[in-house]
Structure formats: C-alpha cells, structure tokens
Amino acid sequence: MKKTFGVSSVKLWVLSIFVLLLLIVPVQVFAIEEIDWKIRHDVDFYETTLKALAEENSDIMKVFSIGRSWRERDLWTAEISGANEGEKTALYIVANIHGGENESAESAMYFVWWMMENRETEEVMKILENYIIYVTPVMNPDGYAASWVYNTRQNLRPTDLNGDGKVFSDPYTDTNGDGFISEIYTGAKDSKVEDRVRVGMESPDWDQNGIPGDDPKNSTIDLNRTFDFGWNWLDVDTDPVVGGNAFLRAGPDAASEPEVQAVQNFLISHPVYGLVTLHTGIQCVLYPWCYNPEPTKDHEFFKATAQKMIAAFEEPSGGRTMYEKQSYYDYPTASEMIDWAYGRLGIHAYTVEVYRGGFPDTESTDPADLHTWGNELPEEKWEYVGDWQGLTDVWFRTTSRAQTVRIAPPDQDLMVDGIKDVLLEFIWSEPYGDGPTVPEYLTW
Ligand SMILES: [Zn+2]
C-alpha cells in the first residue's frame, strides 16, 4: 500500500508562515531589556548581565575582572567607550564596597544597562565620543553574597571571631526557615523586652560551644577604612583618636585586602579624572576630606558639582531628596577610598549615598534623618520559642534590618533612575572635548 506522504496546501502555508516567524522573531535566551529593577538581584546577576550587555554591544563595551575577592569571586568591571580612546576623559564608578548595600550595586548596574539601552541617543553618543567610563558594580562580592543571608558591610577575610582555631566555624543559619536570621535571647514568657538576655545569633551552634552563631561570616573589616592613605589615623568614626585601635575595622595593614588592592591598582594603571563610589545608609553626596576638617583646594568645585548632582536626583526619584557635605562633617573617618583617590592621585572623588530607609524625622537637626526614602520598614519581631537547642525560655528577635534581607525597597526602579541622572551630572562636570586629557597626578 502506498503511504500518503503529501500535505494539503493549507497545511503547507501554515507551516511556511510558522518557519518564517521563527526566522523573523529571534529567540531571546536572556532578555536584557526586560530586567525588573524593582527587585533584589543576587550576586551572579551582575556578572551575567555585564557579559550579556558586552556581547550585544561589543563595539562600545568590554568586561574584565580587575581582581578577586578572598573567596576568589571576580570584581567584574565594564569599560564603556566609543572609538579613539586616546582622546577621552576617563571616569570610574564603583559600588558595593559594603556588602549589604545592595541598592548601590543595582544603581551602578542600571547605569551600565541604561547606557546600552540608550546608546543611539544624542546624550549617550556624546558621552561615548568624549569619555571612557569604567564601572565596577560590586567591589565586595563576598560581602554581597554573605548579605543574602544577613546584612553585613564586611568582606570575607578568613576570621576566627570566637578564637577556637577555626575560621567561620559557626555561621548564621536560618534554623526555623522564616527566611531571616534572628538574634537569640532568653527570658520568661511574660518578661519585658529590656529584661531579656542576649545569648547569640540564630544558628544550630555548628561548633557546639554552647553559644549559637558566635563565629559568623564576618571579617570585622570595613573596606572603606583600609585604603592606603592615612591608614589607622583615626580610631572610631564618631570619636576620632589619632593612632587609635583601628585594627579590627581597618584590617591588619594599609590596603591589606585584595578587593582594595584591586581598586587601587586599577586606578593607578588606568588614569581617571573622577570617581564616584556608591553606598547606602543615607541620601547624600560627600567629598574629601573625610579625615580632616580643612577644605581641599578643590572645595568650591566639589561643592558646586555635588549641588548639581543632588538636584538631578529629585525628579526621577519621585521627589526624594539628598544633601551634600564635605565628608568629614558628615562624620570623620580615615583611609576611605575618596581620600585615597584624591589625596594620592588627585582624582575628583565623591561618595554618593543612594538610599536611607524609613520616613524622615522632621524633629531631627541631622540632615541624614531628613532626607530619607519615605518607606515603611518592617517592625522588629519578638517570638517566644521556649525550649530550643538545650536552652530554655528562648526568644527570637528579628530586627527590621534582618527582615529586609533580599528585599528591594519600594520604587527601587525610581532610585536607580535617579542615581543615573546623578552620575550623568558627575560625568559632565569633568572636562572633555579638548583631545587627550591627562589627570594632574600623571604630570608630576
Ligand atoms: Zn557604605
């Protein structure tokens, strides 16, 4: 029997149209243009997105690593520029030196994404023509990853906080599966909050020493106190003591940390005119000095530029505001990135703080309390657990901050768009268009 092999002409037409559609509509493996900027992204998102953007825009964007963290995560960095690189002004944008300050990384990543999405516009074309923009969205990837569990500023230099000879031997762990890390207290069921005694942090007590969570993934080191400029000059941030005991926060030596070495070496080998380091915690623009109450010789320029930057934030961010100050007058610190960059290399350097949670405190005289995002933060929770891991009358206290781990603030998409406009003001504030421009320090 002859097998019927033909198809009707109608079926053939349908098939042809289908094949034609497949050819016309490309299959999107990674939809870069559809990134949801309202949500919190994990640390791998930055590498994936940078590489995808560079692949789609290989004529104007490159991605490379400027170094590695303690846990051998790369510090992925974008280089954005058109042709004729020798005749341009180079600038640097770096975020997330403090691991838990996730909104800063989102802001830097959004800026790169926005540049690529808008590469045909007049403004971006003018930037590509006149500037080389380097962007490191996550300078402290270990801290970012650790902050997926519990909010921390620090990096992951192997540290033995409980002195048992083993590093990170009792990391915080979500034992009850509520998604957050609680502080552990004891106290009777009818006790008042102030009478409860803190015994540790949520963990199964991995090292079995009776104290839960006493050797977490924390190094004690604040990378923004370890740059090689006036290292260990001040002690604590709010009570400056010359030559004080800054070793815990400032690390064992000047520029001891690989993440800091990576940025210092990058800036020494890639001369830039200006830099912005993005943070969270307040909403402001700060400039050198951090360690010294005296104004710099560029004070008027810094102040004028900072005022343009904060003005640019308000409209795209939905009416949120920022303030500006010399960093010392926010609070004194030593060995910050901006002091190192300006003090050692003459780079115009700004700290841009992109987010402070909560409603403004209008009674306060501190500008940090007045310029906030205006969102409702979760209330701290106290849960009576009773018997738990050999302890009796146990309470779980979950702070507001612990409850916002992995959760983006509302309107994060407006935040990152506002910071994009702040960064554009920063870019235009630096000289361009006169052929090769060489930072002053290179002419010494
Ligand atoms: Zn910070």
Side-chain angles (χ1 to χ4, degrees):
M1 194 175 142
K2 191 182 166 192
K3 200 175 175 187
T4 313
F5 198 72
V7 285
S8 76
S9 59
V10 174
K11 277 183 187 162
L12 201 62
W13 269 109
V14 171
L15 191 70
S16 310
I17 290 165
F18 182 69
V19 169
L20 208 63
L21 275 173
L22 275 181
L23 290 173
I24 293 167
V25 184
V27 179
Q28 286 272 314
V29 179
F30 182 77
I32 307 170
E33 64 277 9
E34 286 166 21
I35 293 171
D36 183 356
W37 296 101
K38 288 177 183 289
I39 63 164
R40 173 69 65 248
H41 296 101
D42 69 15
V43 71
D44 295 333
F45 161 79
Y46 299 93
E47 177 183 351
T48 310
T49 307
L50 283 174
K51 287 180 174 173
L53 286 169
E55 201 178 310
E56 274 199 3
N57 300 279
S58 57
D59 53 332
I60 57 167
M61 179 174 162
K62 283 184 261 190
V63 177
F64 49 88
S65 169
I66 62 168
R68 282 181 161 190
S69 67
W70 276 104
R71 301 301 287 263
E72 302 202 344
R73 290 187 173 94
D74 281 295
L75 276 59
W76 293 110
T77 298
E79 177 180 331
I80 299 167
S81 184
N84 303 322
E85 290 184 10
E87 297 181 2
K88 294 177 178 179
T89 301
L91 301 173
Y92 186 45
I93 296 161
V94 54
N96 205 248
I97 188 172
H98 293 137
E101 296 177 358
N102 302 151
E103 298 82 4
S104 73
E106 301 275 3
S107 299
M109 190 63 251
Y110 176 85
F111 178 77
V112 176
W113 175 84
W114 181 87
M115 289 283 290
M116 295 305 117
E117 288 291 295
N118 293 280
R119 56 173 293 176
E120 306 290 345
T121 63
E122 205 178 312
E123 182 171 31
V124 174
M125 279 164 61
K126 196 171 164 192
I127 292 173
L128 293 170
E129 204 175 295
N130 292 290
Y131 294 92
I132 304 171
I133 314 283
Y134 301 107
V135 186
T136 307
V138 183
M139 178 184 160
N140 179 6
D142 294 349
Y144 194 106
S147 291
W148 218 241
V149 178
Y150 189 77
N151 196 327
T152 177
R153 286 161 82 86
Q154 304 159 16
N155 70 344
L156 288 186
R157 167 186 278 270
T159 303
D160 176 21
L161 274 181
N162 65 1
D164 68 353
K166 287 162 256 177
V167 300
F168 304 146
S169 61
D170 194 4
Y172 304 157
T173 309
D174 178 20
T175 59
N176 63 357
D178 68 353
F180 310 120
I181 301 297
S182 299
E183 294 172 36
I184 308 300
Y185 284 73
T186 54
K189 197 170 182 182
D190 59 357
S191 61
K192 291 188 184 134
V193 166
E194 59 267 30
D195 294 333
R196 294 169 199 160
V197 180
R198 192 179 182 281
V199 294
M201 294 290 291
E202 189 176 350
S203 113
D205 193 15
W206 294 103
D207 56 0
Q208 296 293 302
N209 70 350
I211 309 165
D214 66 340
D215 197 1
K217 288 182 171 175
N218 273 340
S219 67
T220 77
I221 295 170
D222 183 332
L223 295 177
N224 210 24
R225 305 291 184 273
T226 70
F227 277 79
D228 185 15
F229 183 81
W231 182 78
N232 204 18
W233 179 251
L234 303 176
D235 183 15
V236 286
D237 293 336
T238 49
D239 182 17
V241 180
V242 173
N245 176 23
F247 286 89
L248 281 179
R249 188 196 291 258
D253 202 350
S256 55
E257 302 312 290
E259 299 87 352
V260 168
Q261 289 164 15
V263 168
Q264 287 191 179
N265 292 343
F266 176 72
L267 288 171
I268 289 168
S269 58
H270 295 72
V272 304
Y273 240 94
L275 76 78
V276 164
T277 172
L278 294 162
H279 289 251
T280 71
I282 36 183
Q283 288 176 197
C284 63
V285 176
L286 305 170
Y287 37 89
W289 303 115
C290 309
Y291 82 106
N292 184 339
E294 296 299 317
T296 63
K297 67 177 167 58
D298 291 315
H299 187 84
E300 293 312 317
F301 174 80
F302 281 145
K303 191 171 188 64
T305 305
Q307 282 175 349
K308 281 185 245 165
M309 289 162 79
I310 64 172
F313 184 66
E314 189 163 347
E315 203 226 297
S317 71
R320 274 84 171 194
T321 53
M322 287 183 159
Y323 64 98
E324 55 82 17
K325 258 184 190 180
Q326 180 180 332
S327 193
Y328 181 91
Y329 292 102
D330 202 52
Y331 55 98
T333 57
S335 309
E336 283 207 29
M337 182 195 294
I338 62 170
D339 273 11
W340 176 84
Y342 183 69
R344 289 269 194 213
L345 304 179
I347 295 169
H348 292 156
Y350 305 86
T351 296
V352 175
E353 300 261 358
V354 309
Y355 166 66
R356 181 185 182 98
F359 293 106
D361 175 3
T362 50
E363 311 274 283
S364 174
T365 52
D366 183 349
D369 297 329
L370 298 170
H371 303 271
T372 75
W373 196 246
N375 52 327
E376 184 101 44
L377 296 171
E379 275 185 42
E380 101 174 5
K381 276 191 308 199
W382 283 91
E383 186 198 346
Y384 181 76
V385 178
D387 291 346
W388 181 77
Q389 294 183 184
L391 299 165
T392 50
D393 278 335
V394 167
W395 288 86
F396 274 35
R397 175 197 183 213
T398 315
T399 61
S400 176
R401 201 171 186 210
Q403 291 176 61
T404 52
V405 159
R406 297 185 301 277
I407 296 168
D411 298 341
Q412 183 182 261
D413 53 335
L414 304 186
M415 184 189 303
V416 297
D417 200 50
I419 294 303
K420 175 261 295 172
D421 282 6
V422 170
L423 292 171
L424 291 173
E425 286 296 336
F426 157 68
I427 290 170
W428 296 125
S429 77
E430 292 298 327
Y432 65 92
D434 297 324
T437 43
V438 180
E440 193 186 341
Y441 75 90
L442 278 185
T443 64
W444 292 352

